[in-house]
Amino acid sequence: MLSLRRVFAPAPPPEGSDQVTQWRWVRAVQLRQLYVVVPLFVLVVLIGLPAVLLVLAGLGLFAGVANALYLTLKIRRAESAGDTG
């Protein structure tokens, strides 16, 4: 049976791994989910559902992208500071 984790994410980091590795894994999961969410959003737009649903779907999409960008910023700051734990 196909696991959703295999579709959306690589294997989780080992127990006790550093914070940056955990953030990278979370970011990978979020970006892979966007590969599914974005085409669904386009489909919703093409179907022409009510404006309220379009706004809610757009806000959800924006929140996902914003959180991935935020994690990228946190990872870069931690790497530049030399803090991996």
Side-chain angles (χ1 to χ4, degrees), residues 6-78:
R6 288 187 202 158
V7 173
F8 287 124
E15 198 65 33
S17 59
D18 61 357
Q19 189 68 40
V20 172
T21 304
Q22 292 174 7
W23 287 337
R24 281 190 182 128
W25 182 77
V26 170
R27 183 182 60 185
V29 171
Q30 289 179 338
L31 291 177
R32 288 188 185 186
Q33 287 175 347
L34 285 176
Y35 295 149
V36 174
V37 171
V38 170
L40 287 176
F41 180 70
V42 171
L43 180 65
V44 165
V45 170
L46 292 175
I47 290 174
L49 292 179
V52 173
L53 292 177
L54 293 176
V55 168
L56 290 175
L59 287 174
L61 184 63
F62 177 75
V65 171
N67 196 25
L69 291 173
Y70 174 70
L71 280 173
T72 301
L73 181 65
K74 282 176 65 171
I75 290 167
R76 288 189 179 169
R77 282 184 181 169

